[in-house]
Amino acid sequence: MDVTEAEPREGEELENEILALSSIFGEDFTRVGGNRYRFLIHDDIDVLDPPHRLTGVQIEVLTSSTYPYCPPDLTCRSTEGKAFWQWAKLSVEEHAVTLLGQEMIYDLLEMVKEKLSEWNSKGGDAEHPDANEAPPPARALFLIDHMRSANRYIKLLRQWADELALTGEILTRTNHRNVFVWVEGAGAA
């Protein structure tokens, strides 16, 4: 009789990954509820390190029903780590895309730890070259499926753009159907 091990279901795979992570992180792991988990990521610190050094950040991980084919959402829950997270988040998200289809939470948390060490080696948020840079502009593309009065509508869009200090383009077809509006601005602070 041939006995083969059944493939774990997707929910079981996530549960197995979370069980392994809880063993690895111990007290630095918390199941917040449902598919939300919190991890405390530490930097390896010597006693003689400068006082402005960021010793750790709390990262919350939210997985969707499509995980691992869709990356988890990672959020920094540490107030003192907000500048660090603004600097590191894009790199972590880009790395997540390369790991689609496989368990990735541990790899992403390890990358957060590496970024935290890099951040601290460059002087932390007080002296980090990217810490005081303005965030990249917010961008959006809107589709307006029809316009009854194109001239008034376009005038109103331009007025809103001026009031909100946005730049952009209005792309229309001759029949004013399928109107696309591209806007770019400073974004939320």
Side-chain angles (χ1 to χ4, degrees):
M1 183 168 152
D2 185 25
V3 178
T4 58
E5 187 175 319
E7 294 258 341
R9 295 185 309 260
E10 287 182 24
E12 282 183 45
E13 289 177 2
L14 177 59
E15 278 304 313
N16 290 338
E17 181 180 10
I18 295 304
L19 184 61
L21 290 169
S22 70
S23 294
I24 293 167
F25 284 90
E27 293 178 0
D28 294 335
F29 166 82
T30 306
R31 184 182 290 254
V32 178
N35 55 350
R36 188 178 301 269
Y37 315 95
R38 197 168 288 153
F39 299 87
L40 183 58
I41 308 298
H42 300 279
D43 186 14
D44 299 325
I45 297 179
D46 294 332
V47 175
L48 301 175
D49 285 335
H52 67 273
R53 189 175 179 115
L54 185 58
T55 59
V57 291
Q58 197 174 66
I59 301 294
E60 193 167 284
V61 177
L62 175 65
T63 59
S64 70
S65 61
T66 56
Y67 174 81
Y69 302 101
C70 181
D73 181 38
L74 276 66
T75 308
C76 182
R77 293 290 176 205
S78 304
T79 305
E80 64 278 359
K82 294 296 182 185
F84 157 75
W85 190 240
Q86 182 179 351
W87 170 77
K89 185 176 182 182
L90 181 61
S91 296
V92 175
E93 289 173 344
E94 288 173 350
H95 184 57
V97 172
T98 67
L99 301 172
L100 291 178
Q102 58 186 329
E103 296 172 345
M104 68 181 84
I105 296 173
Y106 179 78
D107 292 331
L108 298 178
L109 295 174
E110 278 297 303
M111 184 172 195
V112 170
K113 184 174 182 175
E114 290 169 16
K115 288 293 189 181
L116 183 60
S117 293
E118 182 181 342
W119 171 266
N120 284 328
S121 72
K122 292 183 178 184
D125 60 350
E127 300 174 15
H128 197 281
D130 297 335
N132 297 321
E133 286 184 10
R139 297 181 178 108
L141 178 66
F142 299 97
L143 169 65
I144 302 171
D145 61 358
H146 69 280
M147 287 189 197
R148 293 191 188 268
S149 175
N151 290 336
R152 283 184 19 198
Y153 205 86
I154 290 171
K155 182 179 175 182
L156 183 59
L157 287 172
R158 287 188 174 135
Q159 178 185 342
W160 287 343
D162 288 342
E163 289 173 7
L164 298 171
L166 300 173
T167 59
E169 293 289 326
I170 300 171
L171 310 166
T172 65
R173 297 176 79 187
T174 55
N175 63 0
H176 295 289
R177 292 200 181 267
N178 297 329
V179 178
F180 291 93
V181 178
W182 169 259
V183 292
E184 182 175 297

